[in-house]
Amino acid sequence: MIAPLHTLVAALAADTTPQGTAWLPPAASNIAQSVDPMFYAINWICYIFFFGILAALVYFVVKYRVRKGQAFRSDGPLHHLPLETSWAVVPLLIVIVIFYIGFRDFLNISTPPKNAYVVQVTAQKWAWNFKYPNGATSDDLYVPAGRPVQLTMRASDVLHCCYIPDFRVKKDLVPGRYSYLWFQADDVSGQNPHNLFCTEYCGTGHSTMNRKVHVLAQEDFDAWLVEQSQWLDKIPEEELFFRAGPKIYARCQQCHSLDGTKGIGPSWKGLWSRVHGGEGSNEKFGDGSTYASLIGPGKKYATPEDYLRNSILNPGSELVGGYGNAMPSFKGQLNDKAIDAVIGMMQHLDDFDPKTGKYLKEAPAAPKVSMK
Amino acid sequence: MTTIDASRPIDLASRPDNYLTHTRGFLSWALTLDHKRIGVMYMAAVLVSFFVGGVFALLVRTELLTPGQTIPGVTADVYNQFFTLHGAIMVFLVIIPSIPAALGNFVLPIMLGAKDVAFPRLNLGSFYLWLAGAAFTLVSLAMGGFDTGWTFYTPYSTTTTTGGVIPVLFGVFILGFSSIFTGMNFVVTVHKLRPPGMTWFRMPLFLWAIYATAIIQVLATPVLAITLMLVVIERTINIGIFDPSMGGDPVLFQHFFWFYSHPAVYIMILPAMGIISELISVHAHRHIFGYKFIALSSIAIAIFSFLVWGHHMFTSGQSPLMNTLFSLISFSVAIPSAVKVFNWLTTLYKGNISLTTPMWYALSFMVLFTIGGLTGIHLATLNTDVHLHDTYFVVAHFHYVMMGSALIGMIGGLHHWWPKMTGKMYSEKLGTAACIIIFIGFNVTFFTQFYLGAKGMPRRYYDYLPEYQTYHVISTIGSYIMASGFFLTAYCLLSSLYSGRKAAANPWGGGSLEWQCTSPPPHDNFAVQPSVGDCYDFRALRWDETTQGYVNDPALAAEAARNPLH
């Protein structure tokens, strides 16, 4: 029983290609190599049963159809123990074999190898953060080709789920726990980059939590890693707000607009004036205080920058009236320089396109850096 | 069946009195204890809810015509409420009560030859609890709706800012009690009110299915009720049960939720299987094949249903050992399901098949349930489920089972018992055409989604990558075809109330007891308690042109009595 199915699975293995097959997306990981033949083997079992049942159904209906008034025949069998037992036992044997193969491969899927390259993953509403051993972080996932990669994942607010269809891997991220996922991608030339989706419903931005996975050859990956860990450090302090600001703002824009549109969080438009005692500084907070009563020498926040920095690191401590406690903390994700860049962007907001966040003034030529 | 002629309530049949005209006025319905009227009220309420849930489904499908926003004003938040409402309404207000509470209420006591269910007042109470649950859902909408998904996963459900979460949790809590009371009522009715001669293995198979369902309802629903109350407690007084930021465990919620909600899938599908057993046998005028295997497979499914909840959580981070056990046990559900399909198929063999509208629904059910069941193999298998979990493949699979099977079974049953409920025949041409349109629309909508899911399209997505668009468009077109089929069905049935010809007592040639009383049945169902033979022996029936129904032919009955079936 097991042997023929194994043969079928092996024969179908030849079917999997990096371009994707009739039913499945490109097979770009070691795990896809074992999942795909299994999927097609089950498909074939389904086809055989389905078309068998359908053929019998149509044949019986056509053959045994009667018109009203025709006398009834009654020579059909009422029960047939061997037959009925056989169609309980045969499906049972088939599913036991399917179970066994699925189980064997699943153990492989759920056990990361000891020598795996570890990337720390944090998911929150509605962004992914990937952190590499040298301290570099990114919004897209970059992995080296040809070696096992383990994602050590956690969620900071609600359930999320990391799903990379081309790799056939998926695992929930549960707040308060760590979960693992691993794969090995060998192909750097095929369909690259690959999609990464959130597949556990997490609210407003659930469907926008999709990023890319880039598989790089080891030497390219190493170079990228060095570049990625230093890009912010290389930018001089005075250029931070327009060179780093918009890149970091890309993570804020789902909730905070620049043009005054009310989002999940307050718009940044006019924020600089509000925190500086200008227009809007009497706007009420949820607890009745105002910008003016919170910010200033001797008050809770001595400077507007203190208030803004705290709002990024402890977003729940003051809530602007009419907004819920929806923002996750960016502690450990944005360092001091990145926060300086964000605050600088808020200060010079008029220099940015209110729709896209693009810097409108002529920037001095600078060495090319990439965050994503 | 062949021996009941003497007890046939002939004088009742000639009397104009029936349960619809027995008493008049609003209160005679609102305070009725008649199981038939309660069943009809349930049916009306369920169908209205089905319409509402269907409108949300069409809104969801229309929104998915293009990536990003399609319908002006439908933002991600609005869309999230749409699919949540679609799911919650269809599961809790439509499918769970549809067959047991609506059709079961009407048919079960008559099939037993009884006057009513065991506890008629409790029965009416169940209906009012249903109404209260539905009212809470409306209150929830007025308070800002809810966007938790019908699964209410924590900690999202305990932290989301939409205002209607607590009312809808209360609503589902109350609906749970409605379901428990109906279940208890039916368990007692089947145990205590069977007529002389109707042993367990002489019951119509629909009753076995309802009985198995009722046991699940009574045992599983309290777990859901407690779980939802815990969510309410966590939201209102911040006691950490499921939210990790307060020391709780979100995976615990998933265990509790699926401990009910997986059996709930069988609360939905088992009664539909019971209906199909009746439909196939009655409209093929052929003794059901393998009665005992079908009856016992219902009980087997009811038992297995409690042992497989963990297969919803293969990727949730539960231990590989648990995943393994749940995968293995999940496969076991395939066995009783396969037995049923093969036995129905064999019932067609050497049958006397009338291609009536209910038969078309029964055949649709067999095709759709086979697809739904077979694709369950992909999902019970651990390694393929990792890829398919929470994609459109799962969406397609459970729509094939919950809609293509449970709801199609319900609509088939409605067509089967419509002449009995209303005393009118609908146009079979229209009814059959509508069934075929629904069947085509259904497959266009949902088969496409198997493909979408296998290609990696996640479920519950407002926005999606452009590469998936073609299939979303096909699926949406399918949903419009299906909707037009349902509107045609509604027209076909409703117009029969005004212009349908009068239904005979036994228009299809059924053998169970409900076909022996008039259409519609009198208030008391039977003047004297009927005695019972084999309800799947159709040999004594003869088509009668004048009444356009089947009648018992004494000559055929006598001949049948000389040659007992075995």
Side-chain angles (χ1 to χ4, degrees):
Chain A
M1 191 73 213
I2 296 184
L5 202 72
H6 265 295
T7 321
L8 182 60
V9 170
L12 291 163
D15 260 7
T16 57
T17 64
Q19 280 74 44
T21 49
W23 279 90
L24 295 169
S29 77
N30 61 324
I31 289 163
Q33 300 304 328
S34 71
V35 169
D36 291 13
M38 190 68 200
F39 180 89
Y40 281 105
I42 297 173
N43 262 12
W44 277 107
I45 292 168
C46 292
Y47 294 149
I48 292 165
F49 273 90
F50 175 72
F51 287 109
I53 289 170
L54 188 67
L57 186 84
V58 172
Y59 176 76
F60 291 158
V61 169
V62 171
K63 173 141 175 121
Y64 299 113
R65 196 175 164 195
V66 297
R67 301 277 163 195
K68 273 180 184 146
Q70 221 170 305
F72 291 159
R73 64 192 289 173
S74 58
D75 56 339
L78 264 58
H79 44 76
H80 193 282
L81 192 62
L83 198 60
E84 291 178 83
T85 312
S86 76
W87 58 52
V89 172
V90 170
L92 183 67
L93 294 176
I94 295 174
V95 294
I96 286 174
V97 176
I98 296 174
F99 160 76
Y100 171 72
I101 301 175
F103 156 72
R104 196 192 54 192
D105 288 344
F106 179 76
L107 282 190
N108 180 37
I109 294 174
S110 41
T111 317
K114 294 240 171 357
N115 62 346
Y117 180 80
V118 178
V119 179
Q120 305 282 340
V121 182
T122 310
Q124 63 194 36
K125 290 183 206 166
W126 292 279
W128 296 95
N129 185 263
F130 302 98
K131 195 167 186 181
Y132 303 84
N134 73 343
T137 61
S138 65
D139 292 350
D140 273 6
L141 174 62
Y142 286 77
V143 295
R147 62 183 289 192
V149 174
Q150 174 184 330
L151 306 184
T152 300
M153 312 191 291
R154 62 190 189 84
S156 54
D157 39 35
V158 297
L159 296 172
H160 298 280
C161 183
C162 177
Y163 174 39
I164 309 171
D166 292 356
F167 294 176
R168 318 281 190 266
V169 291
K170 180 181 289 132
K171 190 64 157 248
D172 284 8
L173 288 79
V174 183
R177 293 186 183 189
Y178 285 96
S179 54
Y180 304 130
L181 180 157
W182 84 276
F183 53 82
Q184 177 171 332
D186 293 324
D187 195 2
V188 294
S189 60
Q191 288 252 338
N192 212 355
H194 307 281
N195 294 322
L196 182 150
F197 295 123
C198 175
T199 47
E200 191 66 70
Y201 173 67
C202 57
T204 313
H206 173 50
S207 65
T208 55
M209 268 181 85
N210 65 70
R211 307 298 312 188
K212 298 288 179 205
V213 183
H214 305 262
V215 182
L216 302 181
Q218 184 71 50
E219 58 272 22
D220 296 339
F221 179 75
D222 292 338
W224 174 86
L225 209 53
V226 171
E227 165 74 30
Q228 185 69 10
S229 63
Q230 295 171 353
W231 74 278
L232 200 56
D233 298 336
K234 284 183 183 162
I235 301 175
E237 200 67 45
E238 65 276 13
E239 294 177 9
L240 263 182
F241 77 92
F242 62 85
R243 281 177 51 195
K247 287 187 184 114
I248 298 167
Y249 171 70
R251 295 177 62 183
C252 315
Q253 68 178 357
Q254 283 186 349
C255 304
H256 299 283
S257 76
L258 300 181
D259 60 358
T261 312
K262 193 176 164 175
I264 292 160
S267 175
W268 287 6
K269 187 181 183 178
L271 179 61
W272 200 250
S273 129
R274 294 200 288 277
V275 297
H276 280 82
E279 190 191 338
S281 61
N282 288 319
E283 206 176 291
K284 282 264 191 297
F285 280 61
D287 61 1
S289 54
T290 63
Y291 289 102
S293 73
L294 283 171
I295 306 167
K299 296 177 188 164
K300 188 169 177 187
Y301 301 103
T303 64
E305 283 82 356
D306 282 330
Y307 165 78
L308 293 171
R309 181 185 161 84
N310 186 63
S311 302
I312 295 168
L313 298 181
N314 303 303
S317 61
E318 265 87 32
L319 294 177
V320 178
Y323 294 95
N325 187 4
M327 179 168 159
S329 167
F330 282 81
K331 228 178 252 176
Q333 297 191 35
L334 297 181
N335 61 20
D336 286 350
K337 218 166 166 184
I339 292 174
D340 285 350
V342 172
I343 293 176
M345 185 171 168
M346 291 169 176
Q347 183 179 0
H348 299 93
L349 208 58
D350 293 344
D351 301 346
F352 293 87
D353 184 310
K355 283 287 171 212
T356 62
K358 218 179 129 205
Y359 188 56
L360 296 172
K361 291 194 174 167
E362 197 56 39
K368 223 179 156 201
V369 288
S370 74
M371 175 162 180
K372 285 180 185 169
Chain B
M1 175 65 214
T2 55
T3 56
I4 44 77
D5 269 285
S7 58
R8 204 161 171 198
I10 296 158
D11 46 344
L12 277 184
S14 57
R15 229 165 61 179
D17 171 59
N18 65 54
Y19 82 99
L20 293 168
T21 55
H22 184 67
T23 48
R24 288 181 187 279
F26 174 76
L27 282 183
S28 78
W29 281 81
L31 299 177
T32 184
L33 300 180
D34 182 354
H35 68 97
K36 298 183 287 299
R37 287 192 168 190
I38 294 172
V40 168
M41 291 194 293
Y42 254 121
M43 182 56 81
V46 161
L47 290 176
V48 168
S49 306
F50 178 59
F51 173 76
V52 176
V55 167
F56 283 117
L58 290 175
L59 286 169
V60 164
R61 280 307 334 155
T62 305
E63 174 52 47
L64 290 172
L65 268 175
T66 63
Q69 197 175 75
T70 308
I71 310 171
V74 177
T75 60
D77 288 323
V78 176
Y79 172 83
N80 291 345
Q81 296 221 4
F82 281 173
F83 78 69
T84 300
L85 279 164
H86 165 65
I89 290 175
M90 288 301 196
V91 170
F92 296 114
L93 288 175
V94 180
I95 308 181
I96 288 178
S98 67
I99 298 176
L103 287 174
N105 240 323
F106 188 91
V107 178
L108 177 134
I110 314 184
M111 273 188 164
L112 288 173
K115 209 182 139 184
D116 211 315
V117 291
F119 306 117
R121 282 190 174 76
L122 187 67
N123 199 18
L124 184 65
S126 297
F127 179 65
Y128 280 105
L129 283 175
W130 186 95
L131 285 182
F136 265 93
T137 312
L138 291 177
V139 169
S140 153
L141 286 181
M143 289 175 64
F146 54 108
D147 68 340
T148 57
W150 78 275
T151 46
F152 302 114
Y153 267 22
T154 57
Y156 189 80
S157 59
T158 51
T159 53
T160 178
T161 50
T162 46
V165 177
I166 289 175
V168 78
L169 288 172
F170 268 112
V172 175
F173 179 80
I174 294 167
L175 288 170
F177 276 95
S178 164
S179 184
I180 293 169
F181 289 162
T182 302
M184 274 170 29
N185 219 336
F186 287 177
V187 169
V188 177
T189 307
V190 169
H191 271 275
K192 304 304 286 183
L193 296 185
R194 274 176 294 125
M198 189 183 281
T199 59
W200 280 91
F201 285 108
R202 277 186 165 185
M203 285 201 306
L205 287 163
F206 181 57
L207 296 188
W208 272 100
I210 290 280
Y211 179 76
T213 308
I215 288 176
I216 309 177
Q217 285 176 303
V218 171
L219 292 181
T221 316
V223 179
L224 177 76
I226 294 163
T227 309
L228 298 181
M229 278 307 103
L230 290 176
V231 175
V232 170
I233 288 170
E234 183 163 301
R235 262 190 90 95
T236 48
I237 50 179
N238 292 323
I239 292 179
I241 299 156
F242 304 123
D243 188 343
S245 65
M246 296 187 281
D249 182 356
V251 180
L252 180 67
F253 174 85
Q254 296 179 30
H255 280 292
F256 283 174
F257 181 80
W258 290 114
F259 185 81
Y260 164 76
S261 292
H262 195 79
V265 173
Y266 299 97
I267 293 178
M268 303 179 216
I269 188 68
L270 267 175
M273 290 170 158
I275 288 181
I276 298 307
S277 299
E278 297 300 315
L279 260 52
I280 296 268
S281 179
V282 168
H283 295 269
H285 306 105
R286 147 82 153 88
H287 196 289
I288 190 87
F289 176 81
Y291 175 97
K292 275 194 183 167
F293 267 67
I294 297 182
L296 293 176
S297 65
S298 289
I299 302 298
I301 289 175
I303 294 168
F304 287 143
S305 75
F306 282 99
L307 305 174
V308 299
W309 79 88
H311 70 214
H312 294 268
M313 302 164 60
F314 286 160
T315 66
S316 73
Q318 72 181 353
S319 78
L321 175 68
M322 276 169 69
N323 283 336
T324 305
L325 290 174
F326 279 122
S327 168
L328 186 60
I329 306 170
S330 298
F331 277 117
S332 66
V333 180
I335 310 311
S337 309
V339 165
K340 279 183 192 281
V341 171
F342 287 127
N343 281 16
W344 291 327
L345 199 57
T346 316
T347 302
L348 296 175
Y349 170 68
K350 293 194 175 173
N352 307 285
I353 298 168
S354 301
L355 273 179
T356 54
T357 306
M359 190 58 160
W360 277 101
Y361 276 102
L363 299 173
S364 297
F365 175 100
M366 284 182 66
V367 173
L368 300 178
F369 179 70
T370 302
I371 297 176
L374 286 170
T375 50
I377 301 176
H378 296 86
L379 298 173
T381 307
L382 284 162
N383 63 347
T384 47
D385 179 69
V386 169
H387 174 57
L388 300 170
H389 182 74
D390 270 338
T391 67
Y392 267 75
F393 195 93
V394 175
V395 176
H397 164 72
F398 73 69
H399 277 92
Y400 265 86
V401 179
M402 286 164 69
M403 180 172 189
S405 310
L407 254 168
I408 290 291
M410 194 277 271
I411 306 277
L414 181 63
H415 282 83
H416 182 65
W417 284 300
W418 182 265
K420 189 56 66 184
M421 295 172 99
T422 64
K424 300 284 185 166
M425 292 302 289
Y426 48 85
S427 156
E428 284 231 54
K429 276 203 183 107
L430 268 187
T432 305
C435 173
I436 293 170
I437 293 171
I438 292 170
F439 179 81
I440 292 169
F442 180 90
N443 283 297
V444 173
T445 308
F446 291 110
F447 200 83
T448 319
Q449 295 186 3
F450 281 124
Y451 190 80
L452 268 176
K455 286 285 183 188
M457 170 76 208
R459 66 191 283 204
R460 295 177 166 177
Y461 260 32
Y462 166 70
D463 192 3
Y464 55 84
L465 298 179
E467 65 219 54
Y468 297 115
Q469 191 181 359
T470 311
Y471 302 99
H472 275 298
V473 171
I474 296 172
S475 181
T476 302
I477 291 170
S479 72
Y480 296 155
I481 299 174
M482 192 167 30
S484 62
F486 279 116
F487 281 116
L488 190 59
T489 304
Y491 170 76
C492 167
L493 292 179
L494 291 177
S495 65
S496 79
L497 294 178
Y498 300 99
S499 56
R501 89 185 138 70
K502 192 176 161 3
N506 192 357
W508 311 120
S512 42
L513 294 178
E514 79 271 27
W515 304 111
Q516 290 178 32
C517 51
T518 51
S519 302
H523 177 68
D524 298 329
N525 298 346
F526 300 96
V528 279
Q529 193 167 45
S531 67
V532 186
D534 181 349
C535 65
Y536 295 111
D537 184 353
F538 302 95
R539 290 176 300 168
L541 292 172
R542 178 174 58 76
W543 174 252
D544 177 43
E545 268 309 318
T546 50
T547 56
Q548 288 288 303
Y550 288 83
V551 291
N552 251 17
D553 187 314
L556 290 173
E559 194 192 321
R562 281 195 298 277
N563 307 298
L565 286 171
H566 48 79

